[in-house]
Amino acid sequence: MSRRKGHEETRRTVLVAGAANVLVGLVKLVAGIMTGSSAMLAEAAHSAADTLDQVFLLMSLRQADRPATREHPFGHGQERYFWSLLAAFGIFIAGAGFSVFEGILALTRNQHESPLLAYVALGIAFVAEGTSFARAFWQVRGEARRRHEEVLSHVQTSPDITVKVALFEDSAAVVGLVLAALGVGLSQLTGSPVWDGSASIAIGVLLIVVAVKLGMDSKDLLIGRAASPAVEKLIRGEIESQPGVDALLELRTMHMGPDSIIVAARIAIDDALGAGQAEDLADEIDRRLSERLPMRPHVFIDPTQTGPPPAAGHAQPRPAHT
């Protein structure tokens, strides 16, 4: 139930961000054309890239919800990371590329139109983008509180790249609006197009930074990232606290999506345990981890007896997994 609720929260966050991007994108485009402001045109390109990204993210949510199949026995959770990588690529090409190119062109031309429309557009954009940012930050803060983490730490370690993309995009959008306002205002005060063009280039550089960061995070999760230290500590504690476990010899984890994780552990068990008891122990570890972890675990336990062979009448245990 909590995982389904998390999916719905993420979907609403993406929809709010998408609606805000469509609205402000149109407003920025009209203002950019009417005033000739490169910074406003760069912001329009920024919003267009963000809108495309929201389509990618909604697609990722739909694809990742598909059930497991024989070809994909652990589900399709990693679809989220693939589409997020495409979103980062879209930010880089559609947003950053256009903004830098338009800014360079603006350095060599003059415009004399009144910037009033640009200020109106910026005001509308601040309201819409601020609402979208507040929604994304509210969800991230709620997730961090439920996992007893600081917000910054949660953003850095969270496997939910979809929410991270929305948060980073909205943060970049707010900063981009500030840069655009400075560019338009300083150009009006000085009469020089350099400020407007420089603001457009700065917006492009900002988008490059965001795109690279999101791309690296998506790549990291696509190739298989381990659970956070806090989650691994919880897993280790649950396994080591089980009666019959003498030691946790090896623990490996890997995210298969925001809501799914593989847990593979090699444990030293009490020499007196038989094969059936070892299997019961593995089942209990699986049950406990399913209850305690914030994502669905796929648990594989390899029990090893480190002492002398058991006495007659005790079956030699075989590796057990769930």
Side-chain angles (χ1 to χ4, degrees):
M1 182 65 69
S2 61
R3 293 173 189 131
R4 175 56 54 186
K5 181 180 178 182
H7 279 200
E8 291 304 317
E9 286 183 355
T10 299
R11 196 181 305 276
R12 283 195 294 269
T13 297
V14 173
L15 288 173
V16 169
N21 287 327
V22 171
L23 171 64
V24 302
L26 292 174
V27 172
K28 291 172 184 176
L29 180 61
V30 172
I33 294 174
M34 296 295 293
T35 65
S37 169
S38 292
M40 292 305 301
L41 290 175
E43 274 297 293
H46 182 178
S47 294
D50 286 353
T51 302
L52 177 63
D53 294 344
Q54 306 313 316
V55 174
F56 286 154
L57 297 182
L58 287 174
M59 182 68 73
S60 78
L61 292 172
R62 179 180 177 182
Q63 295 295 320
D65 278 345
R66 291 180 297 166
T69 63
R70 186 182 66 80
E71 293 81 9
H72 300 90
F74 295 108
H76 297 79
Q78 288 184 309
E79 287 263 10
R80 300 272 285 271
Y81 306 145
F82 169 74
W83 290 99
S84 297
L85 184 62
L86 290 185
F89 186 73
I91 295 174
F92 186 86
I93 298 298
F98 178 86
S99 298
V100 172
F101 180 72
E102 175 63 24
I104 293 174
L105 291 180
L107 295 176
T108 61
R109 67 171 183 254
N110 292 310
Q111 76 246 10
H112 304 286
E113 293 83 356
S114 170
L116 176 60
L117 186 57
Y119 291 132
V120 173
L122 287 170
I124 295 173
F126 265 117
V127 174
E129 298 286 12
T131 301
S132 179
F133 172 78
R135 167 70 197 183
F137 182 78
W138 176 80
Q139 181 177 351
V140 170
R141 187 178 65 176
E143 291 176 354
R145 184 182 297 115
R146 287 192 294 271
R147 299 188 183 189
H148 307 289
E149 297 176 339
E150 296 293 332
V151 173
L152 182 59
S153 175
H154 178 69
V155 170
Q156 291 174 338
T157 61
S158 173
D160 192 349
I161 192 70
T162 307
V163 177
K164 190 180 296 187
V165 170
L167 180 64
F168 280 21
E169 282 184 350
D170 292 336
S171 301
V174 173
V175 175
L177 290 173
V178 173
L179 292 174
L182 288 174
V184 172
L186 290 173
S187 291
Q188 181 185 13
L189 290 174
T190 63
S192 171
V194 172
W195 295 106
D196 188 49
S198 298
S200 180
I201 294 173
I203 291 170
V205 172
L206 172 67
L207 293 179
I208 290 173
V209 172
V210 171
V212 170
K213 171 59 178 173
L214 290 176
M216 294 299 292
D217 285 350
S218 297
K219 182 212 72 168
D220 190 34
L221 287 160
L222 267 175
I223 62 177
R225 194 181 76 186
S228 68
V231 171
E232 286 203 344
K233 180 180 179 181
L234 187 155
I235 294 172
R236 187 177 297 274
E238 285 296 326
I239 294 176
E240 292 178 337
S241 66
Q242 291 300 313
V245 176
D246 289 341
L248 176 57
L249 304 177
E250 185 177 10
L251 175 63
R252 296 190 180 186
T253 61
M254 187 175 76
H255 282 288
M256 297 301 294
D259 305 312
S260 178
I261 189 172
I262 290 177
V263 178
R266 188 164 64 91
I267 59 175
I269 62 174
D270 191 323
D271 294 334
L273 294 182
Q277 293 171 306
E279 290 181 358
D280 291 341
L281 176 60
D283 289 340
E284 179 63 16
I285 291 173
D286 186 11
R287 186 187 68 80
R288 289 289 298 168
L289 291 179
S290 296
E291 292 177 352
R292 295 295 309 279
L293 290 176
M295 68 282 293
R296 180 175 62 256
H298 302 280
V299 183
F300 298 87
I301 302 296
D302 179 12
T304 302
Q305 289 181 319
T306 57
H314 289 280
Q316 187 72 12
R318 65 180 185 275
H321 63 82
T322 61

